[in-house]
Every structure is written in C-alpha cells, then in structure tokens.
Amino acid sequence: MSITAPAQGYSYARPSGLSDGRLGLSTSGGRTAAGPAARPHFFSGVVTRPAPAAAALLAVADVATTRYHRPGGTSRDPVVTCNGDRLRLEAFSGCGGVYARLDLLAGALDGDVHDLGTTNVDVNPPLRTALARVGAGDPLHFAVGADELVVTTGDGAAVEKKVLLPDRWLRGFAEVQVITAGFDPRAELRGPEAVRFVRSLRSGGAPWFVPAGRTLRPSARPVPGAVCAAAPERLRTMLPLLRFATALRAYGPPAPDGPAASVWELELPGMRYVLALSPEIHRGFSGEGAVLDALSADDTADDADLVGALLAFEPRLDTDVLAERSGLPAARVRAALTCLGTAGRVGFDAAEAAYFHRELPYDGARVTALNPRLRAARELAGTVRRAADGTALVPGSEREHRVRGSSCTCSWWTRHGGGRGPCKHVLAVRIAGEAR
C-alpha cells in the first residue's frame, strides 16, 4: 500500500517583504509558549549586521529550493524558532541530504522579543531579490510576525501556499539531531584559511579532509582525525558568506571507517550559518536509522511525554537538569529527546553541544508510524525465538536469519553493517527482549 505525502498548508496574512530598510517576515501557523497560533509575532527590532544577516537568510532559502541529487522539485518555506536570546531559521534541501540553519544570536539583534515558539516564514522570489541587494551600510529594521514594521507588498493580499512534505524530509530532522549529537569538533579554520578552503571545493573532489596546520587537506580515505564531506560542492552555498566569515569549524564522528555525515559551521558577526551534509550525495538523512534504537524501547514514548511537558523553548536543553526534574536517568532522557526529535520538537546545536527546543508544524506520530524498519520489527517481534547457542532466530522472506548482538545474517546487514542503524531483525530481537 502506498502512502501519499501530506500537503502542508502555509497561510500568510501578506507576503514577506523588504522596503526602505524594513524587512518583515510573515509567519504561518505555528506554536508559541501559550499554545497554537495562526500567525505568531516573535521579534521586532534592528539587525545590527544587516549584510551578513541578509546573505545568510538567503543561503538558508537557497538550500530549501535545491535538490543536490536529481535536481528539480518543490521549494519549502524555512522554519523559524524564537528561543528568547536568539532566532533560528532552518531548512532541508529537497533531496533531504543537506540541512541548513542560521542562528541569529544576541549580538546580531537589538529589539524586543514578543513571544517564544516556532513557525514557517514566507521567503518569496521578490524578497530573495531584495535580500541580495542589502549592503553593509544599509539599516535593517527586522520583524518576525506582524507589527508596524512589517512591509505590505503588492496589494497586501493574503498568501496561501500548499506544498508536499515528503516523509523522508520530515524524518530527516529527527535523524540529523541524533547523528550530530555524537559529533566532536574536528577542525577550525580562521579567516583567510576558511575562505581558501571553501573556494577550493570542487564537484567530484575527495570526500575526506584532514587537519594540516591551519587548514584542511584532502584525503582519499578516512585516516584518524579526518572529517567527511561527501560531494563537497554542497558546501559552496557558503560562498556568498565568505566575505563576512571569521572562522569555519568542522564536526564529525569520533572514528569513522566509511562515508559519514558532517557538520560545517561558518562563524559570522553575531551569528552562525550551519550546514549538515549526509554521508553521500544520493543518501538523504531520513534513511540513516539513527533514531531506531531509542524508538524501539517500550518506555520511550511515555518518557517523551514527560520530558516534553518540561520544555519551554529553551535555547539549550541540559539533560542533567531534565533528568533531575523528570526523575528519569540521563540515558532515558536522551532517548526521550530522540523520540521528541521525531515529532520535530528537538534539534541539536553542535557549536554548543546542546539540544534546543522547537516545534515543527507537522504530525510527529505520522513520522514514527511511517518508519518502515521499526514498523516491520514490531510485526516480527512475536516470532523471535532463541537458539541453543544463545543467538536469536528471526523469520525472513525466504529463510530464517540469525541475530547475534547487533549483527544479523540478512542481506540488508551484509550491505550496510551498522552504518545505517539496526536492521529490522535486530530491532525485533530488542523489542521482543523488552516485552519479556
């Protein structure tokens, strides 16, 4: 049975616009600290560094309109979260293999926070053209949501958009959060070295880079300390931002032995522009399977409800504090945060090594239910039996598979090993074990 992607409706009171130094981002339905809101009003004030802010906002919008693998498809509006001391704008590429985020920190904003929460913002073609013209000396009044600064463009009519949100795009938000939470800093390039490195990236270039003095040199294999940047041309969305950059930082897993995801953070005045790249250009984040271990536990959903009730759009979530307030062990809090991530309620900031709270405007229960490996594992859990040697036997389509620890004899495990999360047979054994 095929499942069609849901249509996400965006309803804006008027188009976003930029005129006479006033930038107004129109908001759609979302959630605030007080609950659901039709068109939240989060911030009004001044952007203290208008040129890099405009260029970085445009870069996030560019990712949302791009498919790096098999170009084409529908663009989607970025998500904005107000965490009080910052604004975060996030987007996924149409192919699901690149995640982009702009953090406008306190040093880039001077104004009033009117509410906390998350919603979509309208970034339309005329606004993109206007953002590209913002110069360093241009004053930029900034409003997220309706107030006196919001610019009415055209005839001021309401804007209705409907786009298809593929399930893999939605699941990608959860996978990025889990995968990047295990990353370590790998390299930092300052000023000119950062500029030279990004400008040197070419399509088809080496997928690995190793710290070498003040820069990164390409490598054909994952030597110790290397960071992966498969299809490194995907980082070239940073090119328009290089004239403002003060540093470039790379994050990756501790000991990769094959293609791996990575995070690249461009430090700008008072803000950060972040890109997460999937392990390969044809691999979206949605199929990485990093969330499956946490979601397979019986108590995770209940723990997620408990931890979720404690969230209040904090810019940094402290797992120890959440453990103390919830009465749960830290490991169960982390699993609960993973579950909340599948509902779009939690992200991860590699720069601060901390989770943050947001609320994406889609049904997280649908995302969990549509995870094919988890769904199949739950169906298989009742058929698991134990062999005399202590291994587990799980029926397959043609033969029985043997599970030992986290490995399996199935063809999926033979192809991917542990690189894309557990197979359905390993998950079924874990679920069956918890049910006993």
Side-chain angles (χ1 to χ4, degrees):
M1 181 179 69
S2 64
I3 302 175
T4 58
Q8 172 71 55
Y10 301 136
S11 177
Y12 302 105
R14 57 182 63 82
S16 296
L18 172 59
S19 178
D20 297 327
R22 295 184 177 186
L23 169 60
L25 293 181
S26 290
T27 60
S28 184
R31 184 171 292 273
T32 68
R39 296 181 180 94
H41 178 202
F42 290 144
F43 176 83
S44 60
V46 175
V47 178
T48 59
R49 300 301 295 266
L57 174 57
L58 188 54
V60 171
D62 283 344
V63 170
T65 62
T66 302
R67 288 177 61 92
Y68 296 90
H69 176 56
R70 295 180 182 172
T74 304
S75 65
R76 301 167 182 91
D77 288 344
V79 170
V80 63
T81 298
C82 181
N83 290 124
D85 69 342
R86 68 196 66 188
L87 292 167
R88 301 181 193 266
L89 291 102
E90 302 174 272
F92 249 102
S93 63
C95 58
V98 178
Y99 162 80
R101 190 179 77 245
L102 168 62
D103 296 339
L104 291 166
L105 307 175
L109 301 170
D110 183 10
D112 298 319
V113 172
H114 299 280
D115 208 341
L116 307 179
T118 307
T119 187
N120 289 95
V121 288
D122 171 48
V123 181
N124 52 64
L127 176 62
R128 290 163 58 87
T129 300
L131 287 172
R133 296 172 179 161
V134 174
D138 296 335
L140 192 62
H141 296 273
F142 184 40
V144 181
D147 79 342
E148 71 279 5
L149 294 178
V150 173
V151 177
T152 301
T153 59
D155 59 4
V159 179
E160 299 285 344
K161 299 181 182 179
K162 284 195 178 294
V163 297
L164 293 179
L165 292 184
D167 298 314
R168 67 194 300 264
W169 189 84
L170 301 180
R171 292 199 307 268
F173 273 101
E175 296 287 342
V176 164
Q177 173 256 142
V178 177
I179 293 170
T180 60
F183 283 4
D184 296 325
R186 280 283 166 264
E188 178 175 304
L189 282 61
R190 305 297 300 184
E193 292 298 338
V195 173
R196 278 193 283 270
F197 173 75
V198 176
R199 286 179 175 168
S200 72
L201 299 174
R202 297 288 183 271
S203 177
W208 294 92
F209 295 90
V210 182
R214 298 179 179 179
T215 188
L216 288 164
R217 62 173 176 81
S219 174
R221 55 193 180 89
V223 298
V227 62
C228 183
E233 66 272 15
R234 293 183 290 176
L235 292 177
R236 291 177 67 81
T237 182
M238 292 182 170
L239 283 173
L241 306 178
L242 293 179
R243 58 196 172 111
F244 311 111
T246 54
L248 174 67
R249 300 182 183 92
Y251 303 81
D257 56 4
S262 58
V263 170
W264 300 80
E265 170 203 319
L266 199 64
E267 181 183 280
L268 306 168
M271 62 199 80
R272 294 189 292 257
Y273 178 70
V274 179
L275 290 178
L277 305 184
S278 65
E280 297 173 287
I281 193 169
H282 62 274
R283 280 169 64 176
F285 278 102
S286 63
E288 292 305 290
V291 303
L292 293 173
D293 283 324
L295 295 182
S296 65
D298 285 341
D299 53 9
T300 300
D302 291 338
D303 290 350
D305 288 340
L306 176 57
V307 173
L310 301 175
L311 304 183
F313 291 103
E314 298 93 332
R316 291 174 295 278
L317 297 176
D318 189 316
T319 54
D320 292 334
V321 171
L322 288 173
E324 180 179 352
R325 293 171 62 191
S326 65
L328 299 174
R332 284 176 62 179
V333 169
R334 286 191 289 271
L337 290 173
T338 298
C339 187
L340 291 169
T342 67
R345 301 186 63 191
V346 170
F348 190 81
D349 185 348
E352 299 186 4
Y355 296 93
F356 62 88
H357 179 207
R358 55 135 141 80
E359 298 275 351
L360 293 183
Y362 64 82
D363 182 5
R366 174 185 171 86
V367 178
T368 303
L370 289 177
N371 195 304
R373 261 184 279 170
L374 183 60
R375 189 172 65 251
R378 286 175 174 157
E379 293 172 355
L380 288 171
T383 66
V384 174
R385 63 188 183 89
R386 289 286 173 180
D389 62 359
T391 60
L393 300 175
V394 185
S397 57
E398 297 181 356
R399 62 185 177 88
E400 208 166 36
H401 298 296
R402 188 176 297 271
V403 174
R404 185 187 303 273
S406 59
S407 65
C408 182
T409 58
C410 71
S411 59
W412 191 94
W413 185 265
T414 300
R415 288 197 308 273
H416 301 296
R420 303 195 74 172
C423 68
K424 61 184 179 182
H425 310 104
V426 170
L427 279 173
V429 172
R430 294 176 186 172
I431 294 170
E434 288 196 0
R436 290 191 176 93

